[in-house]
Amino acid sequence: MDQRTAQLETLRNLLKQLDITPEQLLHGTTAASVAIPTFDEYVWQVAEAVSPGTRRVYGSYWQRICQHWGTRRITEPTPLEIKRLAEEIRRDVVVRRNARGGRTAAEHLIAAMRCIYRHAVMDGLIRQTDNPAAKVPKPRRLASTRRALTETQLAAISNIATTTGNDPHLDGLLIRLHMETACRRGGALTLRLRDLDPDNCLIFLREKGGTSRWQPVSPTLTRHLLAHHAERGDGDREGPLLRYRDGRALTYRRYDYLWRRVGTHLPWVVAQQVSTHWLRHTTLTWVERAFSYAVARAYAGHSGKNDVGTTMTYVRAEVQEVAAALAALTGEPHPLAPGTSRQDHLPRAQPTAPAGGCDWPPVAQPGAGLPAQREPSS
């Protein structure tokens, strides 16, 4: 080893001991010149920078982090300390009927820490290689216990939703909306009047991860959504579409109330922890079996290709194919489905409120695994 090589090696060792990178020397900044915030100072800056959905999921975990390490600087915790905190939260999780050993709580804690450190890397507070949360593995996810519901089970749920409770019209509309579109709760709650395209029987869904899409709906559901707004809306095209009788916008609480009520009549709903997402699972299972994986993927609004590879770019289903699947599911022609006449199946221009006692058209063809639904009473 010549003298120059020895000097470079000595310099590298010195920089490593001082925790300084060559890039920091080049730009005139060092770790010592950057003020490292505490968790109390930094976490809520991150909270203001993320989406409302991310804030809702991680908020309680950020509170726990601040309770434990609020006065510590964000560079202080080690991967071992983060893992120990995740295990502590996992042990303390409230045991419910659908609990799975606290895995989700531990996973969310680690994800919440990673979110903090991603922003710290962006701000130049730490280097990516020094991110302690990235070195802590998340708990392995167990297979989901959800499954496609049977025709009999769906018929029972629909019957209870549309014949009991303080607003069967609203609950019947929710069941129909989720069965036809397989949308998530967030997609339904963010619907606005401007998101309806009555001419083409489409609704614009905005769901988690900032994704959005035009989703086909049946002419019948289109009529009922318009009638719902005509009866309960205030004329604001930008305001929420789904509302209570008094005009208040719907919230997640309505879903909690709906499934608690259904569970009081159907004990198996409580035992299996059936929820709105089971309706999504049921519809997408039917679409995949009856059509193809590509159509089911488009129907679900899945757009990322990390789980299926680049090939999905070339076999992506279009909205017309989704409309064809919907037409088969509901037994109603759709304006965008191939071979469908547009003139006879468009919603009325001046919708009226649904009449009590009428039946919804069948939601599926015989043997499809989905039941006929009753129209919600007013």
Side-chain angles (χ1 to χ4, degrees):
M1 180 182 297
D2 58 25
Q3 183 178 4
R4 179 178 175 79
T5 302
Q7 290 174 338
L8 287 173
E9 186 64 25
T10 301
L11 181 58
R12 290 193 190 97
N13 291 332
L14 179 60
L15 291 175
K16 185 176 181 179
Q17 293 175 16
L18 296 175
D19 195 24
I20 298 174
T21 66
E23 291 79 9
Q24 289 173 327
L25 290 176
L26 181 63
H27 293 90
T29 61
T30 65
S33 66
V34 178
I36 304 298
T38 64
F39 282 98
D40 280 339
E41 295 169 340
Y42 195 66
V43 164
W44 305 115
Q45 295 181 44
V46 174
E48 293 177 356
V50 300
S51 67
T54 300
R55 196 158 51 241
R56 177 170 55 85
V57 173
Y58 294 158
S60 61
Y61 297 95
W62 286 336
Q63 289 178 358
R64 290 289 296 271
I65 292 169
C66 288
Q67 289 172 5
H68 281 76
W69 299 330
T71 58
R72 297 182 68 181
R73 302 197 180 279
I74 63 173
T75 53
E76 293 181 18
T78 64
L80 178 60
E81 288 180 295
I82 294 174
K83 191 173 188 302
R84 287 173 56 188
L85 180 58
E87 288 301 314
E88 179 180 334
I89 290 178
R90 179 176 179 170
R91 289 193 303 268
D92 294 344
V93 72
V94 176
V95 178
R96 296 186 175 91
R97 293 179 64 91
N98 61 343
R100 313 195 75 185
R103 288 173 176 267
T104 302
E107 179 182 349
H108 283 173
L109 183 280
I110 295 171
M113 291 293 296
R114 289 182 179 181
C115 182
I116 293 171
Y117 285 112
R118 277 198 304 272
H119 285 81
V121 171
M122 290 167 53
D123 286 341
L125 300 175
I126 64 171
R127 295 173 297 181
Q128 179 59 46
T129 55
D130 295 331
N131 181 345
K135 301 174 184 178
V136 181
K138 292 183 178 180
R140 181 176 60 85
R141 286 192 176 185
L142 300 177
S144 173
T145 58
R146 298 190 192 101
R147 57 178 175 78
L149 297 167
T150 66
E151 180 177 353
T152 301
Q153 289 174 325
L154 278 172
I157 290 172
S158 179
N159 179 64
I160 296 301
T162 58
T163 59
T164 65
N166 59 13
D167 197 344
H169 162 73
L170 176 62
D171 294 335
L173 191 61
L174 286 177
I175 294 292
R176 176 79 182 208
L177 175 63
H178 286 283
M179 288 180 65
E180 278 201 18
T181 67
C183 69
R184 301 175 178 88
R185 295 183 305 171
L189 294 178
T190 55
L191 270 178
R192 302 166 297 180
L193 181 61
R194 63 169 296 185
D195 296 327
L196 270 63
D197 178 357
D199 291 338
N200 293 293
C201 292
L202 296 170
I203 61 174
F204 191 70
L205 292 174
R206 293 176 296 277
E207 296 190 311
K208 72 175 186 179
T211 61
S212 60
R213 69 186 186 279
W214 283 104
Q215 183 78 13
V217 292
S218 69
T220 296
L221 180 56
T222 303
R223 287 195 296 268
H224 282 267
L225 289 172
L226 291 171
H228 179 83
H229 175 79
E231 179 185 354
R232 304 187 180 191
D234 56 5
D236 181 10
R237 293 180 57 82
E238 300 292 336
L241 177 67
L242 298 174
R243 297 173 182 266
Y244 295 102
R245 279 200 177 101
D246 60 6
R248 290 180 297 119
L250 211 64
T251 68
Y252 287 102
R253 290 180 179 272
R254 188 66 195 184
Y255 290 97
D256 297 336
Y257 164 77
L258 169 61
W259 289 108
R260 281 199 304 269
R261 190 177 83 245
V262 172
T264 61
H265 294 271
L266 304 173
W268 58 268
V269 168
V270 178
Q272 297 184 43
Q273 294 295 301
V274 176
S275 65
T276 307
H277 210 82
W278 285 57
L279 303 180
R280 174 177 168 86
H281 191 109
T282 301
T283 299
L284 294 178
T285 298
W286 182 86
V287 172
E288 191 276 331
R289 302 294 193 272
F291 288 83
S292 68
Y293 177 78
V295 175
R297 184 174 171 81
Y299 208 113
H302 291 155
S303 58
K305 60 184 180 182
N306 293 336
D307 56 336
V308 292
T310 306
T311 305
M312 202 64 215
T313 303
Y314 304 99
V315 296
R316 182 176 59 194
E318 301 298 337
V319 67
Q320 291 83 1
E321 296 169 275
V322 174
L326 174 70
L329 179 72
T330 61
E332 291 186 61
H334 190 278
L336 298 184
T340 297
S341 172
R342 298 173 57 89
Q343 299 303 318
D344 298 333
H345 308 288
L346 296 182
R348 295 186 297 273
Q350 298 296 329
T352 58
C358 297
D359 289 336
W360 284 100
V363 175
Q365 300 294 343
L370 293 175
Q373 287 197 72
R374 294 183 52 172
E375 180 175 20
S377 58
S378 56

